[in-house]
Amino acid sequence: MASLKTFPAKRINQILSWLLVLVILYSFISLDYSNLAALRSSDIRHMFAGLLKPDWSYVYDQSSEDLVHLMLETLAIAFYGTLLGSVLSLPFVLLASNVVWGSWRFIPAFGRGLLNLMRSIPALIYAILFVRIVGPGAFAGALALGVQLIGMLGKLVSEELDRSDPIPVEAMQASGASSLQSFQYARIPQVISLAVSHVINHFEINVRSATTLGLVGAGGIGAPVIFALQQRNWNRVSIILLAIIIVVIIIDFISTRLRKALR
């Protein structure tokens, strides 16, 4: 009897597995491999030779276009965007949370749909839009990261709020506390540490995202990267990539310590 019940599930898993195999095979078959004919070993050797010799003179040359200044600008874009998105996501968290609205299910459904819309648009598209609105520069990049972060944090924190333990809330209400008081003192403290952890995690993501926003004029290190790649200046590409890797590792180390301290 048990085998009859589990047979359909096994059959579905087999079908899904075969579909996955077919998708993988199709993705390999449908690719255009004609450019491989132009691949030359000398180009590969030249690229790696340049990557192994970083352009150290680009690190700091007392101008506003050197590596130090542009990496600081990239970090500022990521930090401001994270701060902006974290603050502006608060009303959206309340709008998308079921525990806030009770039986009024259409309001959180609308809130979640709005957050899905904001989250589905890539930061690069937001950057292009804000460059047109406020002009090129770091401010446009920070706005792009902030708006996308509203969608991400709004979804994550509202879900944490819905998963919070209702027992402390019920205990406060039984002792005479109002709905607002029980929400403020029994439900919000349960999600604060998780919300801060999400903010820290997305700051790491925003640092990586900010390194590409310069491609569309939104400030940061992105523009020098693309210019160096177009000019095949592998020495310049190498030092920029090295700086990005070092910054990401340092931020990851610090954020990991912070998240452990919040637990």
Side-chain angles (χ1 to χ4, degrees):
M1 192 69 176
S3 61
L4 291 176
K5 290 181 179 179
T6 57
F7 175 77
K10 290 182 178 179
R11 189 67 176 171
I12 291 173
N13 289 336
Q14 290 176 352
I15 293 172
L16 291 176
S17 299
W18 279 110
L19 285 175
L20 179 61
V21 171
L22 290 175
V23 169
I24 294 173
L25 290 175
Y26 175 76
S27 65
F28 278 99
I29 294 171
S30 61
L31 289 176
D32 182 11
Y33 296 97
S34 60
N35 289 331
L36 291 176
L39 186 65
R40 294 182 297 180
S41 60
S42 59
D43 292 336
I44 298 175
R45 288 196 300 270
H46 176 69
M47 181 181 68
F48 278 102
L51 291 175
L52 292 174
K53 296 178 181 178
D55 182 10
W56 297 104
S57 63
Y58 182 62
V59 174
Y60 184 75
D61 58 8
Q62 297 182 349
S63 71
S64 60
E65 299 297 326
D66 57 34
L67 184 60
V68 171
H69 283 87
L70 291 176
M71 282 305 302
L72 288 175
E73 183 179 69
T74 301
L75 288 172
I77 292 171
F79 181 81
Y80 186 83
T82 304
L83 181 62
L84 185 68
S86 301
V87 173
L88 295 182
S89 67
L90 293 177
F92 290 92
V93 169
L94 299 177
L95 183 66
S97 176
N98 289 318
V99 298
V100 174
W101 299 101
S103 59
W104 295 37
R105 296 296 184 183
F106 68 93
I107 296 179
F110 170 76
R112 287 192 295 271
L114 190 59
L115 291 173
N116 288 336
L117 178 64
M118 298 173 71
R119 191 173 65 255
S120 62
I121 301 175
L124 206 58
I125 303 299
Y126 278 126
I128 294 173
L129 296 175
F130 281 117
V131 164
R132 296 288 296 177
I133 295 171
V134 302
F139 184 55
L143 290 176
L145 294 178
V147 172
Q148 190 189 47
L149 185 59
I150 292 173
M152 297 299 299
L153 284 181
K155 175 182 182 296
L156 294 172
V157 180
S158 64
E159 289 177 350
E160 297 290 354
L161 202 58
D162 289 340
R163 285 196 295 264
S164 59
D165 189 359
I167 294 178
V169 178
E170 295 170 357
M172 284 197 66
Q173 289 177 342
S175 63
S178 65
S179 298
L180 180 60
Q181 289 173 331
S182 59
F183 180 80
Q184 180 179 356
Y185 296 107
R187 201 177 289 276
I188 290 180
Q190 296 184 55
V191 301
I192 287 179
S193 61
L194 295 171
V196 173
S197 179
H198 287 311
V199 170
I200 294 171
N201 184 53
H202 279 85
F203 173 65
E204 297 179 43
I205 297 172
N206 280 347
V207 170
R208 289 188 287 271
S209 299
T211 60
T212 62
L213 296 183
L215 301 178
V216 294
I221 198 69
V225 171
I226 193 64
F227 292 153
L229 287 171
Q230 290 174 344
Q231 298 169 3
R232 291 179 173 79
N233 187 349
W234 305 117
N235 307 94
R236 179 70 55 84
V237 172
S238 177
I239 192 64
I240 294 173
L241 293 179
L242 184 62
I244 294 172
I245 292 170
I246 291 173
V247 168
V248 169
I249 289 174
I250 293 172
I251 292 174
D252 179 70
F253 175 78
I254 296 173
S255 62
T256 301
R257 293 297 183 91
L258 289 174
R259 280 195 294 268
K260 286 182 178 179
L262 291 171
R263 292 175 184 172

